Amino acid sequence: MFFRVMDKSRLPDLVAGLQTDFEVIGPVAKGEKFVFATLQDPDELRLDYDTTLLPPKKFFVPPTENLMEFETADNEVVSADVESSPRVLFGLHPCDINALMLMDNVFLGEYEDPYYKARRDSTLLVGVNCEPSPQCFCNSWGTDEVHWGFDIFLSDLGDRYFVSVRSVKGAELLDRFVETRDITDIDTADLQRVTAEFKASFPRHVETSQLPLLLDAKFDDAVWDELGERCLSCGACSMVCPTCYCFDVRDKLSADGKTGERTRVWDSCMFSEFAEVAHGHNFRASSSSRVKYRYYHKQWGYLSKFERVLCVGCGRCERACKADISPRVVIDALQKGATVR
Amino acid sequence: MSTDAYKQLRANPYRPWPARITSITELTETEKLFEFRLIDEEVREAFEFDAGQFVEVSIFGVGEAPISISSAPSKQGFIELCVRRAGDVTSALHNKQCGDIVGLRGPFGRGFPFEEMKGHDVLLVAGGLGIAPLKSLINHIHDERHDFGRVTILLGAKNPSEILFRKQFDMWKHREDFDLIMTVDQPDDSWDGEVGLVTKLFDRLDVDATSTFGAICGPPVMYKYVIDEMRKKHMDADRIYVSFERRMKCGIGKCGHCGVGHQYACIDGPVFNYWEAMNLQEAI
Ligand SMILES: Cc1cc2nc3c(=O)[nH]c(=O)nc-3n(C[C@H](O)[C@H](O)[C@H](O)COP(=O)(O)OP(=O)(O)OC[C@H]3O[C@@H](n4cnc5c(N)ncnc54)[C@H](O)[C@@H]3O)c2cc1C
Ligand code: SF4
Ligand code: SF4
Ligand code: FES
């Protein structure tokens, strides 16, 4: 990794430069909220955003995606093209970059997913540091920092950015499009100060020690029934989550039934039919068993394979949930064993 | 299929391999046995699997369903699937004719530890359709019989007409190298065999716990009771193997549908040993 310093006033140069070669996607305002969208104009970019409604996963696993086109007569695949185009995702927070790396474990591990891989390969990531919002608890998982998994990372030092460069491609683009200078001791000292202030500004810390043990030991705890009674099984928590990756596969036929496409669509283990098998047996028929499973998988199942929890503390689920269920609430309830909330 | 197409197939685990149905045998009112041959020669020759593994059967326009391979790994060039008409995909398959083409992806999952079982006694217990994956193991053992000690097979079914592969097993009943016992819950006039649950048969079994591997497959309710019987015979938890059925969409550890406790049935199973399974929540 190497480091540079860039004057804040140069930011539009960098974005405009990138736009000559790439589709540049970044956080833009949508009413009072923010979303990741293709930038028409560098000025639309809002690096002062708190959190976007949907996470960047939608650019790697779209909500609905065509996997292949087929012909029914001979049950034949007509095309299974993997579509991707050069893009830059600009302004990702550390939690969202960490979340992508968790997705990589699933989609780029055993049985590499060619659709995900193509999009990942053709997308550059530019990160930016942030300020915690009331729902954030990335500090509790250690996902408030990120040291790899991006091409360029910008740390705001007030009038300038401390620029960390991870990839050759990132270095080349920085060199081409924007004026930067070498770092000095002052820049490094300022970065440390800014980081310390950031760490101190978190509204809360979630105590996560012994979590897998708690999840196993309290598998039959009444806490789950209380949570289940509240849960609406709406799946909003999974849809907005940057680390939820479950999907359904559906075939769609053309009007004449001769051709069609096989698509995958986002799915959620919070939906009632998610674990149903033949002859109507449902392994998770109750909403309490589904709430439990979601947390069990995120904070124990995934951990047992990849040594990380499948949550980055972005707080999106907490904002989205109408029933006030979130990792913070669930973990708290497990630890205190008391009535939820 | 060209080598190019073969490469594309290899590179995309979601893309089914075209396979031709080469024979269909009606087993019962709801089950048929299908034999498939993968159309591409290169793929057909490269296709190897373990007993207990499954394939995703793909019928475009309808969908996919995971089905255990029931032919033996030692028999190459074709794949046999025993399929119950349960819903969309399985019904569409039941409506196909010999010569039709469907898609197959796989083989996926972890099967039975065949090599580890060698040199030991084996006790297999199947309930209903659970015989499908076990048949692959039984046939594989049959083909390498001299490598195994005593082989005991217990088969349970609701009634005589639901016993799958009845002809083959009726023939086997008299063999000395397999102890095969069939039992039904509801006998009819034609039945002169055992009556009752498969667990009942354990009373008369003489199991050498130091050297026996167990393999169980059947409806979800069966596992607990059969395992209890095996444990009563002092068999170790990690020598008892169970095969689980869960809803599956991808078969390759991505879609999340098949979660059992902290594992995925499609890549960590479907075959688990009981020691693993008893440490999985919601497994048994
Ligand atoms: C590892 C594995 C091995 C299997 N081996 C065999 C076998 O050898 N022979 C056999 O006949 N069946 C087998 N099954 C069961 C078979 O996969 C299901 O019966 C089949 O998926 C139903 O598909 P369908 O499209 O016909 O039904 P659908 O129209 O999809 O649904 C009918 C019913 O089946 C449920 N269902 C959907 N997907 C699954 C699923 N993956 N597993 C179970 N239920 C499901 C639905 O919720 C619904 O209740 C196996 C399942 C697994 C997971
Ligand atoms: S579970 Fe909630 S806090 Fe954790 S990553 Fe998903 S949306 Fe963010
Ligand atoms: S936890 Fe909340 S967001 Fe998730 S399904 Fe239940 S009600 Fe919906
Ligand atoms: S079937 Fe998709 S994860 Fe197991």
Side-chain angles (χ1 to χ4, degrees), chain A residues 75 106 110-111 113 115 216 245 248 251 262 267 274 283 305, chain B residues 12 14 58 60-61 103 246-247 249 254-255 257 264 268 281:
Chain A
N75 207 64
V106 174
E110 201 186 358
Y111 300 111
D113 185 297
Y115 308 95
D216 262 342
Y245 51 79
D248 191 11
D251 284 4
R262 179 160 287 175
D267 204 347
F274 190 82
F283 283 94
K305 287 209 165 68
Chain B
N12 187 342
Y14 299 101
S58 192
F60 282 122
R246 288 295 185 278
R247 188 176 190 126
K249 286 289 176 181
K254 315 256 185 272
C255 76
H257 277 270
Y264 280 155
D268 304 308
Q281 304 285 9

PDB file of all heavy atoms in Angstrom, chain A residues 75 106 110-111 113 115 216 245 248 251 262 267 274 283 305, chain B residues 12 14 58 60-61 103 246-247 249 254-255 257 264 268 281:
ATOM      1  N   ASN A  75     -34.717 -28.594 -23.883  1.00  0.00           N
ATOM      2  CA  ASN A  75     -34.180 -28.257 -22.572  1.00  0.00           C
ATOM      3  C   ASN A  75     -32.750 -27.706 -22.697  1.00  0.00           C
ATOM      4  O   ASN A  75     -31.831 -28.155 -22.033  1.00  0.00           O
ATOM      5  CB  ASN A  75     -34.177 -29.517 -21.687  1.00  0.00           C
ATOM      6  CG  ASN A  75     -34.267 -29.170 -20.222  1.00  0.00           C
ATOM      7  OD1 ASN A  75     -35.273 -28.613 -19.769  1.00  0.00           O
ATOM      8  ND2 ASN A  75     -33.232 -29.447 -19.482  1.00  0.00           N
ATOM      9  N   VAL A 106     -18.370 -16.299   0.150  1.00  0.00           N
ATOM     10  CA  VAL A 106     -19.433 -17.187  -0.318  1.00  0.00           C
ATOM     11  C   VAL A 106     -19.375 -17.338  -1.846  1.00  0.00           C
ATOM     12  O   VAL A 106     -19.353 -18.452  -2.367  1.00  0.00           O
ATOM     13  CB  VAL A 106     -20.819 -16.647   0.106  1.00  0.00           C
ATOM     14  CG1 VAL A 106     -21.937 -17.494  -0.498  1.00  0.00           C
ATOM     15  CG2 VAL A 106     -20.917 -16.604   1.619  1.00  0.00           C
ATOM     16  N   GLU A 110     -15.555 -21.960  -2.814  1.00  0.00           N
ATOM     17  CA  GLU A 110     -15.848 -23.199  -3.528  1.00  0.00           C
ATOM     18  C   GLU A 110     -17.026 -22.959  -4.484  1.00  0.00           C
ATOM     19  O   GLU A 110     -17.988 -22.283  -4.118  1.00  0.00           O
ATOM     20  CB  GLU A 110     -16.225 -24.254  -2.481  1.00  0.00           C
ATOM     21  CG  GLU A 110     -16.061 -25.654  -2.987  1.00  0.00           C
ATOM     22  CD  GLU A 110     -16.592 -26.669  -1.967  1.00  0.00           C
ATOM     23  OE1 GLU A 110     -17.029 -26.264  -0.879  1.00  0.00           O
ATOM     24  OE2 GLU A 110     -16.560 -27.865  -2.297  1.00  0.00           O
ATOM     25  N   TYR A 111     -16.982 -23.509  -5.667  1.00  0.00           N
ATOM     26  CA  TYR A 111     -17.999 -23.282  -6.713  1.00  0.00           C
ATOM     27  C   TYR A 111     -18.135 -21.781  -7.016  1.00  0.00           C
ATOM     28  O   TYR A 111     -19.177 -21.178  -6.751  1.00  0.00           O
ATOM     29  CB  TYR A 111     -19.374 -23.824  -6.303  1.00  0.00           C
ATOM     30  CG  TYR A 111     -19.417 -25.294  -6.038  1.00  0.00           C
ATOM     31  CD1 TYR A 111     -19.599 -25.780  -4.754  1.00  0.00           C
ATOM     32  CD2 TYR A 111     -19.277 -26.205  -7.083  1.00  0.00           C
ATOM     33  CE1 TYR A 111     -19.641 -27.141  -4.505  1.00  0.00           C
ATOM     34  CE2 TYR A 111     -19.324 -27.571  -6.839  1.00  0.00           C
ATOM     35  CZ  TYR A 111     -19.505 -28.022  -5.550  1.00  0.00           C
ATOM     36  OH  TYR A 111     -19.552 -29.375  -5.292  1.00  0.00           O
ATOM     37  N   ASP A 113     -18.936 -18.300  -8.296  1.00  0.00           N
ATOM     38  CA  ASP A 113     -20.123 -17.821  -8.997  1.00  0.00           C
ATOM     39  C   ASP A 113     -19.670 -16.889 -10.133  1.00  0.00           C
ATOM     40  O   ASP A 113     -19.166 -15.795  -9.875  1.00  0.00           O
ATOM     41  CB  ASP A 113     -20.988 -17.051  -7.996  1.00  0.00           C
ATOM     42  CG  ASP A 113     -22.311 -16.619  -8.576  1.00  0.00           C
ATOM     43  OD1 ASP A 113     -22.310 -15.815  -9.542  1.00  0.00           O
ATOM     44  OD2 ASP A 113     -23.351 -17.072  -8.081  1.00  0.00           O
ATOM     45  N   TYR A 115     -21.171 -15.012 -12.272  1.00  0.00           N
ATOM     46  CA  TYR A 115     -21.867 -13.731 -12.431  1.00  0.00           C
ATOM     47  C   TYR A 115     -21.300 -12.706 -11.442  1.00  0.00           C
ATOM     48  O   TYR A 115     -20.989 -11.571 -11.799  1.00  0.00           O
ATOM     49  CB  TYR A 115     -23.373 -13.911 -12.212  1.00  0.00           C
ATOM     50  CG  TYR A 115     -23.934 -15.026 -13.066  1.00  0.00           C
ATOM     51  CD1 TYR A 115     -24.070 -16.321 -12.565  1.00  0.00           C
ATOM     52  CD2 TYR A 115     -24.292 -14.791 -14.394  1.00  0.00           C
ATOM     53  CE1 TYR A 115     -24.552 -17.350 -13.351  1.00  0.00           C
ATOM     54  CE2 TYR A 115     -24.788 -15.815 -15.193  1.00  0.00           C
ATOM     55  CZ  TYR A 115     -24.908 -17.097 -14.668  1.00  0.00           C
ATOM     56  OH  TYR A 115     -25.377 -18.118 -15.439  1.00  0.00           O
ATOM     57  N   ASP A 216     -26.066 -21.090  21.175  1.00  0.00           N
ATOM     58  CA  ASP A 216     -26.325 -22.521  21.348  1.00  0.00           C
ATOM     59  C   ASP A 216     -27.025 -22.806  22.673  1.00  0.00           C
ATOM     60  O   ASP A 216     -28.006 -23.532  22.724  1.00  0.00           O
ATOM     61  CB  ASP A 216     -25.002 -23.309  21.294  1.00  0.00           C
ATOM     62  CG  ASP A 216     -24.758 -23.897  19.910  1.00  0.00           C
ATOM     63  OD1 ASP A 216     -25.726 -23.988  19.124  1.00  0.00           O
ATOM     64  OD2 ASP A 216     -23.614 -24.269  19.619  1.00  0.00           O
ATOM     65  N   TYR A 245     -27.231 -12.848   1.635  1.00  0.00           N
ATOM     66  CA  TYR A 245     -27.031 -13.199   0.224  1.00  0.00           C
ATOM     67  C   TYR A 245     -28.016 -14.240  -0.294  1.00  0.00           C
ATOM     68  O   TYR A 245     -27.928 -14.665  -1.441  1.00  0.00           O
ATOM     69  CB  TYR A 245     -25.600 -13.703  -0.006  1.00  0.00           C
ATOM     70  CG  TYR A 245     -25.166 -14.780   0.950  1.00  0.00           C
ATOM     71  CD1 TYR A 245     -25.574 -16.095   0.768  1.00  0.00           C
ATOM     72  CD2 TYR A 245     -24.355 -14.479   2.038  1.00  0.00           C
ATOM     73  CE1 TYR A 245     -25.196 -17.087   1.650  1.00  0.00           C
ATOM     74  CE2 TYR A 245     -23.964 -15.475   2.938  1.00  0.00           C
ATOM     75  CZ  TYR A 245     -24.383 -16.774   2.742  1.00  0.00           C
ATOM     76  OH  TYR A 245     -24.010 -17.758   3.615  1.00  0.00           O
ATOM     77  N   ASP A 248     -33.548 -16.984  -4.395  1.00  0.00           N
ATOM     78  CA  ASP A 248     -34.457 -17.981  -4.920  1.00  0.00           C
ATOM     79  C   ASP A 248     -34.152 -18.068  -6.417  1.00  0.00           C
ATOM     80  O   ASP A 248     -33.655 -17.101  -6.994  1.00  0.00           O
ATOM     81  CB  ASP A 248     -35.898 -17.502  -4.682  1.00  0.00           C
ATOM     82  CG  ASP A 248     -36.919 -18.596  -4.952  1.00  0.00           C
ATOM     83  OD1 ASP A 248     -36.519 -19.765  -5.108  1.00  0.00           O
ATOM     84  OD2 ASP A 248     -38.114 -18.272  -5.022  1.00  0.00           O
ATOM     85  N   ASP A 251     -37.871 -19.858 -12.923  1.00  0.00           N
ATOM     86  CA  ASP A 251     -37.898 -19.890 -14.386  1.00  0.00           C
ATOM     87  C   ASP A 251     -39.070 -19.051 -14.871  1.00  0.00           C
ATOM     88  O   ASP A 251     -40.169 -19.153 -14.342  1.00  0.00           O
ATOM     89  CB  ASP A 251     -38.080 -21.332 -14.880  1.00  0.00           C
ATOM     90  CG  ASP A 251     -36.791 -22.130 -14.769  1.00  0.00           C
ATOM     91  OD1 ASP A 251     -35.799 -21.579 -14.251  1.00  0.00           O
ATOM     92  OD2 ASP A 251     -36.770 -23.298 -15.201  1.00  0.00           O
ATOM     93  N   ARG A 262     -33.973 -18.232 -16.807  1.00  0.00           N
ATOM     94  CA  ARG A 262     -33.848 -18.649 -15.411  1.00  0.00           C
ATOM     95  C   ARG A 262     -33.267 -17.462 -14.650  1.00  0.00           C
ATOM     96  O   ARG A 262     -32.212 -16.955 -15.012  1.00  0.00           O
ATOM     97  CB  ARG A 262     -32.936 -19.874 -15.314  1.00  0.00           C
ATOM     98  CG  ARG A 262     -32.735 -20.357 -13.887  1.00  0.00           C
ATOM     99  CD  ARG A 262     -32.273 -21.802 -13.862  1.00  0.00           C
ATOM    100  NE  ARG A 262     -33.364 -22.712 -14.216  1.00  0.00           N
ATOM    101  CZ  ARG A 262     -33.222 -24.016 -14.375  1.00  0.00           C
ATOM    102  NH1 ARG A 262     -32.030 -24.573 -14.228  1.00  0.00           N
ATOM    103  NH2 ARG A 262     -34.253 -24.770 -14.690  1.00  0.00           N
ATOM    104  N   ASP A 267     -33.910 -13.401  -1.721  1.00  0.00           N
ATOM    105  CA  ASP A 267     -34.851 -14.142  -0.889  1.00  0.00           C
ATOM    106  C   ASP A 267     -34.471 -13.875   0.569  1.00  0.00           C
ATOM    107  O   ASP A 267     -33.416 -13.280   0.837  1.00  0.00           O
ATOM    108  CB  ASP A 267     -34.741 -15.644  -1.216  1.00  0.00           C
ATOM    109  CG  ASP A 267     -36.009 -16.398  -0.862  1.00  0.00           C
ATOM    110  OD1 ASP A 267     -36.859 -15.848  -0.153  1.00  0.00           O
ATOM    111  OD2 ASP A 267     -36.140 -17.560  -1.289  1.00  0.00           O
ATOM    112  N   PHE A 274     -39.491 -20.368   3.340  1.00  0.00           N
ATOM    113  CA  PHE A 274     -38.070 -20.495   2.983  1.00  0.00           C
ATOM    114  C   PHE A 274     -37.505 -21.908   3.198  1.00  0.00           C
ATOM    115  O   PHE A 274     -36.708 -22.394   2.412  1.00  0.00           O
ATOM    116  CB  PHE A 274     -37.244 -19.496   3.790  1.00  0.00           C
ATOM    117  CG  PHE A 274     -35.818 -19.367   3.358  1.00  0.00           C
ATOM    118  CD1 PHE A 274     -35.470 -18.562   2.279  1.00  0.00           C
ATOM    119  CD2 PHE A 274     -34.802 -20.049   4.022  1.00  0.00           C
ATOM    120  CE1 PHE A 274     -34.140 -18.435   1.876  1.00  0.00           C
ATOM    121  CE2 PHE A 274     -33.479 -19.934   3.623  1.00  0.00           C
ATOM    122  CZ  PHE A 274     -33.153 -19.120   2.546  1.00  0.00           C
ATOM    123  N   PHE A 283     -39.261 -26.829   8.085  1.00  0.00           N
ATOM    124  CA  PHE A 283     -38.285 -26.907   9.168  1.00  0.00           C
ATOM    125  C   PHE A 283     -38.283 -25.662  10.048  1.00  0.00           C
ATOM    126  O   PHE A 283     -37.791 -25.686  11.161  1.00  0.00           O
ATOM    127  CB  PHE A 283     -36.880 -27.174   8.610  1.00  0.00           C
ATOM    128  CG  PHE A 283     -36.688 -28.609   8.219  1.00  0.00           C
ATOM    129  CD1 PHE A 283     -36.906 -29.019   6.912  1.00  0.00           C
ATOM    130  CD2 PHE A 283     -36.319 -29.555   9.156  1.00  0.00           C
ATOM    131  CE1 PHE A 283     -36.746 -30.355   6.557  1.00  0.00           C
ATOM    132  CE2 PHE A 283     -36.154 -30.884   8.813  1.00  0.00           C
ATOM    133  CZ  PHE A 283     -36.372 -31.284   7.512  1.00  0.00           C
ATOM    134  N   LYS A 305     -17.446 -21.173   9.655  1.00  0.00           N
ATOM    135  CA  LYS A 305     -16.754 -21.455   8.388  1.00  0.00           C
ATOM    136  C   LYS A 305     -15.649 -20.453   8.092  1.00  0.00           C
ATOM    137  O   LYS A 305     -14.593 -20.813   7.591  1.00  0.00           O
ATOM    138  CB  LYS A 305     -17.754 -21.394   7.233  1.00  0.00           C
ATOM    139  CG  LYS A 305     -18.685 -22.554   7.173  1.00  0.00           C
ATOM    140  CD  LYS A 305     -19.098 -22.770   5.706  1.00  0.00           C
ATOM    141  CE  LYS A 305     -19.721 -24.131   5.547  1.00  0.00           C
ATOM    142  NZ  LYS A 305     -21.016 -24.224   6.238  1.00  0.00           N
TER     143      LYS A 305
ATOM    144  N   ASN B  12     -19.360 -22.590 -15.159  1.00  0.00           N
ATOM    145  CA  ASN B  12     -20.588 -22.069 -14.579  1.00  0.00           C
ATOM    146  C   ASN B  12     -21.361 -23.179 -13.849  1.00  0.00           C
ATOM    147  O   ASN B  12     -22.036 -23.985 -14.468  1.00  0.00           O
ATOM    148  CB  ASN B  12     -21.459 -21.463 -15.695  1.00  0.00           C
ATOM    149  CG  ASN B  12     -22.675 -20.753 -15.131  1.00  0.00           C
ATOM    150  OD1 ASN B  12     -23.063 -20.979 -13.986  1.00  0.00           O
ATOM    151  ND2 ASN B  12     -23.263 -19.888 -15.939  1.00  0.00           N
ATOM    152  N   TYR B  14     -24.003 -23.196 -12.299  1.00  0.00           N
ATOM    153  CA  TYR B  14     -25.465 -23.122 -12.375  1.00  0.00           C
ATOM    154  C   TYR B  14     -25.985 -23.711 -13.676  1.00  0.00           C
ATOM    155  O   TYR B  14     -27.176 -23.896 -13.858  1.00  0.00           O
ATOM    156  CB  TYR B  14     -25.949 -21.669 -12.290  1.00  0.00           C
ATOM    157  CG  TYR B  14     -25.564 -20.986 -11.007  1.00  0.00           C
ATOM    158  CD1 TYR B  14     -24.491 -20.101 -10.946  1.00  0.00           C
ATOM    159  CD2 TYR B  14     -26.274 -21.236  -9.833  1.00  0.00           C
ATOM    160  CE1 TYR B  14     -24.133 -19.484  -9.768  1.00  0.00           C
ATOM    161  CE2 TYR B  14     -25.921 -20.627  -8.642  1.00  0.00           C
ATOM    162  CZ  TYR B  14     -24.851 -19.751  -8.618  1.00  0.00           C
ATOM    163  OH  TYR B  14     -24.492 -19.143  -7.440  1.00  0.00           O
ATOM    164  N   SER B  58     -32.814 -30.490 -13.779  1.00  0.00           N
ATOM    165  CA  SER B  58     -33.283 -29.211 -14.272  1.00  0.00           C
ATOM    166  C   SER B  58     -34.217 -29.402 -15.455  1.00  0.00           C
ATOM    167  O   SER B  58     -33.866 -30.057 -16.430  1.00  0.00           O
ATOM    168  CB  SER B  58     -32.045 -28.426 -14.704  1.00  0.00           C
ATOM    169  OG  SER B  58     -32.357 -27.102 -14.930  1.00  0.00           O
ATOM    170  N   PHE B  60     -36.152 -26.885 -17.806  1.00  0.00           N
ATOM    171  CA  PHE B  60     -36.318 -25.460 -18.070  1.00  0.00           C
ATOM    172  C   PHE B  60     -37.785 -25.092 -18.219  1.00  0.00           C
ATOM    173  O   PHE B  60     -38.556 -25.792 -18.871  1.00  0.00           O
ATOM    174  CB  PHE B  60     -35.524 -25.043 -19.305  1.00  0.00           C
ATOM    175  CG  PHE B  60     -34.058 -24.880 -19.018  1.00  0.00           C
ATOM    176  CD1 PHE B  60     -33.105 -25.613 -19.703  1.00  0.00           C
ATOM    177  CD2 PHE B  60     -33.636 -23.998 -18.030  1.00  0.00           C
ATOM    178  CE1 PHE B  60     -31.753 -25.455 -19.433  1.00  0.00           C
ATOM    179  CE2 PHE B  60     -32.288 -23.832 -17.743  1.00  0.00           C
ATOM    180  CZ  PHE B  60     -31.343 -24.564 -18.443  1.00  0.00           C
ATOM    181  N   GLY B  61     -38.135 -24.006 -17.576  1.00  0.00           N
ATOM    182  CA  GLY B  61     -39.512 -23.549 -17.587  1.00  0.00           C
ATOM    183  C   GLY B  61     -40.242 -24.001 -16.334  1.00  0.00           C
ATOM    184  O   GLY B  61     -41.275 -23.451 -15.975  1.00  0.00           O
ATOM    185  N   GLY B 103     -31.829 -31.468 -17.884  1.00  0.00           N
ATOM    186  CA  GLY B 103     -30.513 -30.981 -17.458  1.00  0.00           C
ATOM    187  C   GLY B 103     -30.129 -31.589 -16.120  1.00  0.00           C
ATOM    188  O   GLY B 103     -30.986 -31.850 -15.286  1.00  0.00           O
ATOM    189  N   ARG B 246     -33.278 -31.205   2.805  1.00  0.00           N
ATOM    190  CA  ARG B 246     -33.684 -29.828   3.067  1.00  0.00           C
ATOM    191  C   ARG B 246     -34.051 -29.189   1.739  1.00  0.00           C
ATOM    192  O   ARG B 246     -33.690 -29.694   0.681  1.00  0.00           O
ATOM    193  CB  ARG B 246     -32.540 -29.023   3.696  1.00  0.00           C
ATOM    194  CG  ARG B 246     -32.222 -29.383   5.130  1.00  0.00           C
ATOM    195  CD  ARG B 246     -33.378 -29.061   6.065  1.00  0.00           C
ATOM    196  NE  ARG B 246     -33.056 -29.300   7.471  1.00  0.00           N
ATOM    197  CZ  ARG B 246     -33.106 -30.481   8.085  1.00  0.00           C
ATOM    198  NH1 ARG B 246     -33.435 -31.574   7.412  1.00  0.00           N
ATOM    199  NH2 ARG B 246     -32.812 -30.594   9.362  1.00  0.00           N
ATOM    200  N   ARG B 247     -34.740 -28.096   1.794  1.00  0.00           N
ATOM    201  CA  ARG B 247     -35.043 -27.389   0.560  1.00  0.00           C
ATOM    202  C   ARG B 247     -33.739 -26.873  -0.033  1.00  0.00           C
ATOM    203  O   ARG B 247     -32.890 -26.358   0.665  1.00  0.00           O
ATOM    204  CB  ARG B 247     -35.955 -26.213   0.846  1.00  0.00           C
ATOM    205  CG  ARG B 247     -36.440 -25.585  -0.432  1.00  0.00           C
ATOM    206  CD  ARG B 247     -37.408 -24.490  -0.151  1.00  0.00           C
ATOM    207  NE  ARG B 247     -38.036 -24.046  -1.361  1.00  0.00           N
ATOM    208  CZ  ARG B 247     -39.345 -23.999  -1.511  1.00  0.00           C
ATOM    209  NH1 ARG B 247     -40.135 -24.382  -0.561  1.00  0.00           N
ATOM    210  NH2 ARG B 247     -39.855 -23.548  -2.631  1.00  0.00           N
ATOM    211  N   LYS B 249     -31.936 -24.784  -3.508  1.00  0.00           N
ATOM    212  CA  LYS B 249     -32.099 -24.018  -4.742  1.00  0.00           C
ATOM    213  C   LYS B 249     -30.831 -24.051  -5.587  1.00  0.00           C
ATOM    214  O   LYS B 249     -30.890 -24.128  -6.802  1.00  0.00           O
ATOM    215  CB  LYS B 249     -32.462 -22.571  -4.414  1.00  0.00           C
ATOM    216  CG  LYS B 249     -33.883 -22.389  -3.933  1.00  0.00           C
ATOM    217  CD  LYS B 249     -34.858 -22.595  -5.071  1.00  0.00           C
ATOM    218  CE  LYS B 249     -36.287 -22.518  -4.583  1.00  0.00           C
ATOM    219  NZ  LYS B 249     -37.237 -22.742  -5.677  1.00  0.00           N
ATOM    220  N   LYS B 254     -24.753 -21.409  -1.802  1.00  0.00           N
ATOM    221  CA  LYS B 254     -24.897 -19.969  -2.022  1.00  0.00           C
ATOM    222  C   LYS B 254     -26.286 -19.432  -1.668  1.00  0.00           C
ATOM    223  O   LYS B 254     -26.409 -18.340  -1.134  1.00  0.00           O
ATOM    224  CB  LYS B 254     -24.625 -19.628  -3.498  1.00  0.00           C
ATOM    225  CG  LYS B 254     -23.400 -20.295  -4.084  1.00  0.00           C
ATOM    226  CD  LYS B 254     -22.256 -19.335  -4.209  1.00  0.00           C
ATOM    227  CE  LYS B 254     -21.066 -19.938  -4.910  1.00  0.00           C
ATOM    228  NZ  LYS B 254     -20.158 -20.644  -3.974  1.00  0.00           N
ATOM    229  N   CYS B 255     -27.332 -20.171  -1.988  1.00  0.00           N
ATOM    230  CA  CYS B 255     -28.688 -19.620  -1.878  1.00  0.00           C
ATOM    231  C   CYS B 255     -29.216 -19.604  -0.459  1.00  0.00           C
ATOM    232  O   CYS B 255     -30.198 -18.929  -0.165  1.00  0.00           O
ATOM    233  CB  CYS B 255     -29.646 -20.396  -2.769  1.00  0.00           C
ATOM    234  SG  CYS B 255     -30.093 -21.997  -2.068  1.00  0.00           S
ATOM    235  N   HIS B 257     -30.831 -21.786   1.317  1.00  0.00           N
ATOM    236  CA  HIS B 257     -32.072 -22.474   1.667  1.00  0.00           C
ATOM    237  C   HIS B 257     -31.896 -23.711   2.545  1.00  0.00           C
ATOM    238  O   HIS B 257     -32.800 -24.081   3.271  1.00  0.00           O
ATOM    239  CB  HIS B 257     -32.835 -22.867   0.398  1.00  0.00           C
ATOM    240  CG  HIS B 257     -33.647 -21.732  -0.134  1.00  0.00           C
ATOM    241  ND1 HIS B 257     -34.943 -21.505   0.251  1.00  0.00           N
ATOM    242  CD2 HIS B 257     -33.332 -20.735  -0.973  1.00  0.00           C
ATOM    243  CE1 HIS B 257     -35.400 -20.420  -0.355  1.00  0.00           C
ATOM    244  NE2 HIS B 257     -34.437 -19.932  -1.108  1.00  0.00           N
ATOM    245  N   TYR B 264     -24.612 -26.077   5.964  1.00  0.00           N
ATOM    246  CA  TYR B 264     -25.510 -26.159   4.813  1.00  0.00           C
ATOM    247  C   TYR B 264     -25.580 -27.628   4.375  1.00  0.00           C
ATOM    248  O   TYR B 264     -24.544 -28.256   4.154  1.00  0.00           O
ATOM    249  CB  TYR B 264     -24.965 -25.335   3.646  1.00  0.00           C
ATOM    250  CG  TYR B 264     -25.212 -23.841   3.738  1.00  0.00           C
ATOM    251  CD1 TYR B 264     -24.374 -22.948   3.082  1.00  0.00           C
ATOM    252  CD2 TYR B 264     -26.295 -23.324   4.453  1.00  0.00           C
ATOM    253  CE1 TYR B 264     -24.604 -21.579   3.139  1.00  0.00           C
ATOM    254  CE2 TYR B 264     -26.527 -21.964   4.516  1.00  0.00           C
ATOM    255  CZ  TYR B 264     -25.679 -21.091   3.861  1.00  0.00           C
ATOM    256  OH  TYR B 264     -25.908 -19.737   3.913  1.00  0.00           O
ATOM    257  N   ASP B 268     -22.027 -29.222   3.165  1.00  0.00           N
ATOM    258  CA  ASP B 268     -21.481 -29.901   4.347  1.00  0.00           C
ATOM    259  C   ASP B 268     -22.085 -31.298   4.473  1.00  0.00           C
ATOM    260  O   ASP B 268     -21.533 -32.166   5.123  1.00  0.00           O
ATOM    261  CB  ASP B 268     -21.783 -29.086   5.607  1.00  0.00           C
ATOM    262  CG  ASP B 268     -21.245 -27.665   5.502  1.00  0.00           C
ATOM    263  OD1 ASP B 268     -20.057 -27.522   5.184  1.00  0.00           O
ATOM    264  OD2 ASP B 268     -22.011 -26.713   5.702  1.00  0.00           O
ATOM    265  N   GLN B 281     -28.161 -27.570  15.453  1.00  0.00           N
ATOM    266  CA  GLN B 281     -29.502 -27.252  15.912  1.00  0.00           C
ATOM    267  C   GLN B 281     -30.519 -27.578  14.826  1.00  0.00           C
ATOM    268  O   GLN B 281     -30.231 -27.440  13.648  1.00  0.00           O
ATOM    269  CB  GLN B 281     -29.600 -25.761  16.272  1.00  0.00           C
ATOM    270  CG  GLN B 281     -28.592 -25.314  17.307  1.00  0.00           C
ATOM    271  CD  GLN B 281     -28.925 -25.771  18.718  1.00  0.00           C
ATOM    272  OE1 GLN B 281     -29.833 -26.566  18.923  1.00  0.00           O
ATOM    273  NE2 GLN B 281     -28.174 -25.273  19.690  1.00  0.00           N
TER     274      GLN B 281
END
